[in-house]
């Protein structure tokens, strides 16, 4: 939370009993001496109330000083908060704790001087940086969504250098800003001297204060209190105390000015992707993101007035596009950041050709045992989905080219077979593998190299799950999502024969007209950037089957070495950059379609959105096409950061988390909501579906069935669909422009970015659109109550718009 006229600092300690409360008192008194308002907050306290830290601050508050004290959660047993909560049989979630902190700070911001002076709030934690809050979460993690700047109290005792540096690293690795370190002078150990130099090299100011007087003998409480009053009266007015207050005020001012200057600086220097800069007409068109955690951005706005009443300039925005589809486990996940720090410390980056490091080898093995189970034998690493697809195209086209007369000096003009609306990236080769459209037609080097079939699609229309076929009057209504994704049963229907006949006819016609195909490329189940089109999985399954059965038409005759050799087939590429790795609720997609690719590409969710990385999986026969006696026959592709160890290490952790989540309680609850009898929680290999469970039984969504049907029934909605974490809906606002060029979704959903959902924890929604298609994507960790609130807010906005049509 960031306020203009209220400076908030969180006081963490390198350990327990390092003087956090004493320094909180010194800071409060030093601020009050300057005539400023001070708010002291102890979020969680254990032990007797009369011995609590907020009582201590209140006791030594001079008469008339503008110091308010508050403790939010008090538990009597003097033990760690998680034990005290357990003993008191209290359930205190992290959300509840943070909500109370937020509400209290907002109230404080309303209770400030009308003069507009910079007042201060100090939040004192309990114990050390990694001590637990009542839920058992460490303090550094529990308070991270707030990301208040930190005053770290160092340890002056023996061993205190180590504990202080460890505390700093724990906070720094979680994204906290440590504005200052304070500690007591200890003439014997002189920790402050070493630490002052160490922190200065990192631009952090350390101030050492004389320690308080020792307790008088004989437990003379009156004398002790008198000594402490004298100590505070003196220490809070020393040059160190004044310097510390000025420094913290300065850090706050710099933070505000930096955040408020970002839109103007960005508009002068940045060239944004997928953005028409002519539409950026004011600073408000640029969203300033101070940090991100879980499902939310912390965004800041420019105050429209200098009045203290408008003091809160930060807010929470739900990341509605999953940061361009990269998020699956939430922003700043502590497991991923810890893994990245470890790999960075161990490797940094190391060259990859003919070398091996554990993160890359382990990741390759994991991908082959999960996504590539029973078909892939090799993994090639690159840096993003588009380059992963470039690699896939090179692999496929090389394999196909070897089937033709290699003595010919003329290279064949191979084409790809794909689906209309596909998108495989922005590099030249990946663009050429897509039909001409707004993404690529304006690119001067674009030359569409292929033919793209118009696929049948699924979606809810007027509460019914309906199949639409663009080249046929046939239509079909399904009773449930699992019915639509039950490929084995649907293969036997007349719809399957309709698809088979259409595909065979189109391919035959193209080949007769001289087209030479080098590969079949599919985005399984959903065409992402092409408009969030949920392709009928039966059509894709039959397309693969037909292509492989038509080898005699698609490929040149080639004598087999013996009768047991399989007939060569056109390589099949699965572009799973968007749909793969659990985003759609399936542990893996190949079993859903009942067909295996020859090549598949993964990115985005692969690293949980932390660092760029892509992986292209290939079968053994594709790999063997690049074996030869000279280097020219090798796959001559790569980049400096191939198999980046940090990315590979993070991906290993990300895959483990994703596998746990897609089989976890959230998806089991979603399966029941969508009418699926979920298997009880059990242990089974991450590489497979549960015993006695068919892949189509995973066809469900974290978005509720009732909501999706209600959405589809609105007059303004043409179609709505949900699967896994993805919700998409096509809008019909009566304008003639449709598709990606339309601004319908952007206009109709604009209030999501400015309006906040109902309390508690108000938030707005950051989103991207695809022309007349709106979509929202959760992470696999997004909790059910949050999704229900998003549903209610979206319905409210679209219902209001529907009434105006």
């Amino acid at each position: 939370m960031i306020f203009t006229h209220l400076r908030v600092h969180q006081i963490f300690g390198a350990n327990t009993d390092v003087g956090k409360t004493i320094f909180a008192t010194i800071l409060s008194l030093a601020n009050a001496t300057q005539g400023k308002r001070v708010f002291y907050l102890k979020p969680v306290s254990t032990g007797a109330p009369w011995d609590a830290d907020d009582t201590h601050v209140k006791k030594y508050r001079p008469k008339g000083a503008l110091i308010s004290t508050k403790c939010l959660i008090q538990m009597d047993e003097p033990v760690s908060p998680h034990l005290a909560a357990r003993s008191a049989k209290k359930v205190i979630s992290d959300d509840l704790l943070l909500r109370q902190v937020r509400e209290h700070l907002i109230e404080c911001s309303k209770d400030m001087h009308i003069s507009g002076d910079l007042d201060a709030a100090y939040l004192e934690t309990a114990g050390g940086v990694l001590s637990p809050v009542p839920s058992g979460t460490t303090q550094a993690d529990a308070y991270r969504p707030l990301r208040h700047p930190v005053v770290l109290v160092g340890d002056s005792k023996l061993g205190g250098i180590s504990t202080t540096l460890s505390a700093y690293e724990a906070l720094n690795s979680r994204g906290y800003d440590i504005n200052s370190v304070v500690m007591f002078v200890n003439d014997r150990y002189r920790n402050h001297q070493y630490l002052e130099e160490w922190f200065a090299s990192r631009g952090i100011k350390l101030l050492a204060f004389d320690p308080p007087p020792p307790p008088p003998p004989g437990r003379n409480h009156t004398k002790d209190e008198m000594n402490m009053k004298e100590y505070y009266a003196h220490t809070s007015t020393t040059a160190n105390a004044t310097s510390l207050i000025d420094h913290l005020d300065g850090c706050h001012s710099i933070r505000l000015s930096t955040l408020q200057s970002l839109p103007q600086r960005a508009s002068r220097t940045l060239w944004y992707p997928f953005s028409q800069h002519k539409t950026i007409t004011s600073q408000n068109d640029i969203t300033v993101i101070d940090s991100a955690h879980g499902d939310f951005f912390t965004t800041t706005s420019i105050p429209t007035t200098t009045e203290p009443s408008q003091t809160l300039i930060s807010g929470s925005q739900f990341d509605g596009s999953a940061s361009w589809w990269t998020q699956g486990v939430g922003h700043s996940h502590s497991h991923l950041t810890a893994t990245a720090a470890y790999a960075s410390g161990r490797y940094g980056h190391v060259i990859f050709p003919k070398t091996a490091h554990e993160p890359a080898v382990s990741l390759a093995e994991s991908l082959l045992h999960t996504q590539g189970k029973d078909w892939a034998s090799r993994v090639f690493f690159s840096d993003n989905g588009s380059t992963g697809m470039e690699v896939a195209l090179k692999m496929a086209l090389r394999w196909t080219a070897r089937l033709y007369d290699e003595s010919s000096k003329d290279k064949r003009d191979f084409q790809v077979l794909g689906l209309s609306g596909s998108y495989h990236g922005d590099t030249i080769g990946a663009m050429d593998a897509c039909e001409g459209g707004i993404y690529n037609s304006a690119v001067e080097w674009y030359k569409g190299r292929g033919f793209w079939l118009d696929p049948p699609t699924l979606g809810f229309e007027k509460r019914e799950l309906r199949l639409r076929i663009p080249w046929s009057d046939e239509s079909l209504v399904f009773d449930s999502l699992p019915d639509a994704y039950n490929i084995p049963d649907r293969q036997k229907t007349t719809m399957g024969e309709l698809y088979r006949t259409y595909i065979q006819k189109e391919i035959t016609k193209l080949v007769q007209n001289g087209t030479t195909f080098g590969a079949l490329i599919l985005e399984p189940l959903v065409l992402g950037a092409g408009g969030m089109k949920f392709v009928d999985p039966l059509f894709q399954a039959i397309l693969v089957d037909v292509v492989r059965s038509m080898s005699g038409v698609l490929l040149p005759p080639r004598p087999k070495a013996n009768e047991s050799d399989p007939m060569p087939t056109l390589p099949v590429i699965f572009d799973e950059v968007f749909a793969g790795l659990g985003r759609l609720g399936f542990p893996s997609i190949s079993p859903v379609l009942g067909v295996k690719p020859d090549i598949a590409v993964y990115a985005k969710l692969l690293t949980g959105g932390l660092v760029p990385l892509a992986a292209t999986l290939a079968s053994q026969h594709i790999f063997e096409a690049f074996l030869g006696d000279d280097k020219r026959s090798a796959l001559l592709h790569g980049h400096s950061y191939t198999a980046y160890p940090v990315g590979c290490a993070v991906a290993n952790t990300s895959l483990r988390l994703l596998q746990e989540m897609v089989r976890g309680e959230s998806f089991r609850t979603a399966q029941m909501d969508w009418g699926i009898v979920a298997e009880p929680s059990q242990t089974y290999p991450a590489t497979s579906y549960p015993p006695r469970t068919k892949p189509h039984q995973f066809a469900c969504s974290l978005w509720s069935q009732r909501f999706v049907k209600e959405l589809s029934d609105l007059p303004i909605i043409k179609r709505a669909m949900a699967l896994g974490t993805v919700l998409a809906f096509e809008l019909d606002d009566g304008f003639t422009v449709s598709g990606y060029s339309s601004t319908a979704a952007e206009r109709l959903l604009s209030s999501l970015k400015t309006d906040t959902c109902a309390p508690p924890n108000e938030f707005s929604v950051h989103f991207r659109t695809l022309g007349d298609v709106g979509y929202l994507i959760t992470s696999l960790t997004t909790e059910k109550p949050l999704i229900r609130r998003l549903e209610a807010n979206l319905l409210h906005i679209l219902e209001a718009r529907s009434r105006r049509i």
Side-chain angles (χ1 to χ4, degrees):
M1 302 182 75
I2 308 171
F3 302 87
T4 54
H5 295 80
L6 179 64
R7 166 175 63 77
V8 183
H9 276 88
Q10 190 142 13
I11 300 174
F12 279 99
N15 207 338
T16 191
D17 195 29
V18 293
K20 293 189 301 297
T21 305
I22 293 174
F23 279 108
T25 307
I26 293 171
L27 285 164
S28 297
L29 293 174
N31 271 105
T33 299
Q34 298 178 2
K36 297 178 181 178
R37 189 71 185 264
V38 182
F39 304 92
Y40 169 86
L41 176 64
K42 182 77 172 183
V44 179
S45 179
T46 61
W50 59 84
D51 197 33
D53 296 336
D54 60 307
T55 303
H56 181 94
V57 176
K58 188 184 300 183
K59 179 192 296 186
Y60 295 104
R61 175 182 60 190
K63 186 176 181 179
L66 300 175
I67 301 175
S68 301
T69 64
K70 177 77 172 179
C71 178
L72 296 177
I73 299 169
Q74 169 72 42
M75 294 175 286
D76 292 338
E77 190 173 0
V79 294
S80 177
H82 75 292
L83 295 176
R86 190 181 306 167
S87 178
K89 297 182 179 179
K90 289 186 175 181
V91 178
I92 304 169
S93 68
D94 295 343
D95 285 343
L96 174 62
L97 174 60
L98 295 186
R99 183 165 71 246
Q100 291 189 28
V101 171
R102 288 189 182 102
E103 290 172 351
H104 178 75
L105 289 176
I106 289 173
E107 288 303 311
C108 292
S109 72
K110 297 174 181 177
D111 189 24
M112 298 190 304
H113 273 146
I114 59 173
S115 65
D117 285 341
L118 179 60
D119 293 333
Y122 298 106
L123 282 66
E124 183 187 340
T125 57
V129 167
L130 298 180
S131 296
V133 296
S135 69
T137 305
T138 68
Q139 292 187 113
D141 291 317
Y143 291 115
R144 171 55 184 80
L146 302 176
R147 211 185 78 87
H148 289 133
V150 171
V151 174
L152 175 61
V153 180
D155 190 344
S156 60
K157 299 185 291 295
L158 180 64
I161 292 176
S162 177
T163 57
T164 302
L165 296 183
S166 296
Y168 164 78
E169 291 193 352
L171 292 168
N172 185 65
S173 67
R174 287 166 171 79
Y176 286 95
D177 295 329
I178 294 87
N179 283 174
S180 182
V181 179
V182 295
M183 63 189 305
F184 294 128
V185 172
N186 186 312
D187 291 329
R188 180 177 181 183
Y189 301 118
R190 300 192 293 270
N191 293 351
H192 64 284
Q193 294 178 359
Y194 175 89
L195 290 171
E196 182 178 14
E197 184 177 344
W198 192 92
F199 280 109
S201 69
R202 287 153 179 80
I204 298 173
K205 184 172 187 174
L206 184 147
L207 290 169
F209 290 72
D210 289 333
R219 295 187 177 181
N220 189 334
H221 297 299
T222 302
K223 179 65 174 174
D224 185 37
E225 188 171 326
M226 184 185 307
N227 290 343
M228 288 303 296
K229 283 184 177 179
E230 292 176 357
Y231 171 78
Y232 283 132
H234 168 72
T235 307
S236 63
T237 57
T238 59
N240 261 5
T242 303
S243 174
L244 178 58
I245 295 301
D246 291 344
H247 174 69
L248 297 179
D249 287 350
C251 288
H252 178 74
S253 297
I254 291 171
R255 185 185 190 194
L256 286 183
S257 62
T258 298
L259 291 170
Q260 293 173 4
S261 70
L262 285 177
Q264 187 177 34
R265 290 160 58 195
S267 64
R268 289 199 307 260
T269 59
L270 300 182
W271 193 336
Y272 286 114
F274 291 98
S275 302
Q276 175 49 261
H277 275 253
K278 202 168 184 179
T279 64
I280 302 175
T281 58
S282 75
Q283 296 187 46
N284 292 328
D285 292 328
I286 297 175
T287 300
V288 176
I289 300 175
D290 176 66
S291 63
H293 188 273
D295 289 313
F296 292 93
F297 301 141
T298 296
T299 60
T300 61
S301 58
I302 300 173
T304 57
T305 175
T306 58
E307 291 297 319
S309 58
Q310 188 180 354
T311 181
L312 178 63
I313 64 166
S314 66
S316 293
Q317 270 199 336
F318 178 79
D319 181 6
S321 69
S323 280
W324 257 350
W325 319 341
T326 62
Q327 295 300 315
V329 299
H331 293 278
S332 307
H333 194 288
S334 60
H335 292 187
L336 298 187
T337 55
T339 298
Y342 168 78
S344 177
R346 181 178 174 183
Y347 296 101
H349 179 59
V350 295
I351 193 169
F352 195 59
K354 297 183 181 180
T355 69
H357 53 77
E358 189 272 335
V361 175
S362 292
L363 178 57
E365 291 172 340
S366 178
L367 288 169
L368 293 176
H369 294 160
T370 53
Q371 307 308 313
K373 183 177 173 60
D374 296 332
W375 68 267
S377 69
R378 300 284 171 162
V379 178
F380 191 100
F381 291 115
S382 56
D383 57 341
N384 61 66
S386 184
T387 52
M389 283 301 298
E390 293 277 345
V391 173
L393 285 165
K394 287 183 177 181
M395 291 176 176
L397 297 178
R398 169 70 62 85
W399 187 90
T400 304
R402 286 168 61 95
L403 299 179
Y404 289 84
D405 183 4
E406 297 179 2
S407 63
S408 173
K409 295 183 180 180
D410 297 328
K411 288 189 176 181
R412 291 185 175 272
D413 185 18
F414 287 115
Q415 307 288 300
V416 299
L417 181 63
L419 299 182
S420 178
S422 297
Y423 170 86
H424 302 296
D426 302 321
T427 50
I428 294 295
M431 283 196 301
D432 279 359
C434 306
E435 67 176 332
I438 193 166
Y439 292 115
N440 50 21
S441 291
V443 177
E444 284 69 20
W445 271 12
Y446 171 71
K447 179 183 178 182
R449 300 171 184 271
F451 182 84
W452 298 272
L453 302 172
D454 214 356
T457 55
L458 296 166
F460 283 89
E461 302 174 22
K462 303 303 177 185
R463 298 179 178 266
E464 292 182 331
L465 179 57
R466 185 174 293 277
L467 170 68
R468 294 288 186 185
I469 305 174
W471 33 266
S472 172
D473 294 332
E474 294 282 343
S475 182
L476 187 63
V477 174
F478 295 97
D479 292 333
S480 67
L481 271 181
D483 285 348
Y485 289 86
N486 188 346
I487 303 304
D489 286 356
R490 291 189 59 205
Q491 287 270 17
K492 308 166 189 174
T493 64
T494 56
M495 190 64 68
E497 281 306 310
L498 177 68
Y499 290 167
R500 191 175 300 275
T501 300
Y502 165 77
I503 295 167
Q504 288 174 338
K505 179 181 176 182
E506 292 297 318
I507 290 176
T508 300
K509 180 173 61 178
L510 289 164
V511 173
Q512 288 175 347
N513 288 336
T515 303
T516 303
F517 286 106
L520 167 65
I521 307 179
L522 297 176
E523 288 180 84
L525 304 186
V526 181
L527 307 182
M532 292 295 169
K533 297 177 181 177
F534 290 76
V535 180
D536 184 3
L538 177 63
F539 182 81
Q540 291 188 320
I542 289 179
L543 176 56
V544 174
D545 184 55
V546 169
V547 164
R548 285 177 170 163
S549 69
M550 295 183 69
S551 293
V553 174
L554 290 165
L555 298 174
R558 190 174 182 87
K560 295 189 291 184
N562 57 67
E563 290 300 319
S564 62
D565 286 346
M567 178 68 72
T569 58
L570 195 71
V572 175
I573 302 171
F574 279 5
D575 177 353
E576 297 193 41
V577 171
F578 171 70
L581 304 177
R583 187 189 304 280
L584 302 181
F586 301 109
S588 56
I589 291 180
S590 178
V592 180
L593 295 177
V595 292
K596 298 180 177 67
D598 301 289
I599 303 166
V601 182
Y602 302 90
K604 296 193 183 291
L605 285 187
L606 183 59
T607 61
L610 193 64
V611 288
L613 186 73
T616 303
L617 278 59
S619 62
Q620 184 63 21
H621 69 275
I622 296 292
F623 171 71
E624 290 175 353
F626 290 84
L627 300 180
D629 296 328
D630 58 44
K631 194 170 183 177
R632 288 181 302 174
S633 58
L635 178 52
L636 300 180
H637 188 106
H639 62 103
S640 301
Y641 282 86
T642 298
Y644 181 40
V646 176
C648 291
V650 169
N652 281 312
T653 301
S654 176
L655 287 180
R656 175 178 57 79
L657 293 171
L658 293 169
Q659 290 161 6
E660 292 172 357
M661 292 168 189
V662 82
R663 297 176 295 164
E665 185 61 32
S666 293
F667 274 98
R668 284 198 295 273
T669 301
Q671 287 170 355
M672 289 186 283
D673 174 58
W674 286 86
I676 303 167
V677 179
E679 287 285 326
S681 180
Q682 56 183 301
T683 300
Y684 58 92
T687 59
S688 62
Y689 288 79
R692 303 180 304 279
T693 300
K694 303 298 183 183
H696 69 270
Q697 291 178 275
F698 274 70
C700 67
S701 177
L702 297 180
W703 301 90
S704 71
Q705 180 175 196
R706 177 180 177 181
F707 159 72
V708 177
K709 289 183 176 180
E710 288 181 5
L711 189 65
S712 74
D713 206 22
L714 294 176
I716 203 170
I717 300 295
K718 287 183 181 178
R719 222 173 187 200
M721 184 61 177
L723 191 63
T725 65
V726 181
L727 168 73
F729 43 94
E730 186 179 356
L731 292 157
D732 181 10
D733 67 348
F735 285 79
T736 56
V737 178
S738 61
Y740 191 82
S741 299
S742 170
T743 60
E746 183 74 27
R747 286 184 288 101
L748 296 179
L749 299 177
S750 60
S751 58
L752 279 175
K753 287 186 177 179
T754 54
D755 295 348
T756 57
C757 294
N761 300 337
E762 291 89 346
F763 62 88
S764 57
V765 179
H766 185 277
F767 64 89
R768 298 283 300 179
T769 60
L770 295 165
D772 56 359
V773 173
Y775 70 89
L776 292 175
I777 302 176
T778 71
S779 65
L780 277 72
T781 56
T782 306
E783 295 183 351
K784 182 177 177 180
L786 173 55
I787 298 176
R788 297 296 90 87
R789 291 176 63 195
L790 288 165
E791 292 172 351
N793 203 40
L794 185 59
L795 274 177
H796 172 74
I797 290 172
L798 293 177
E799 284 173 346
R801 178 66 186 183
S802 293
R803 287 192 292 269
R804 293 198 292 269
I805 293 180

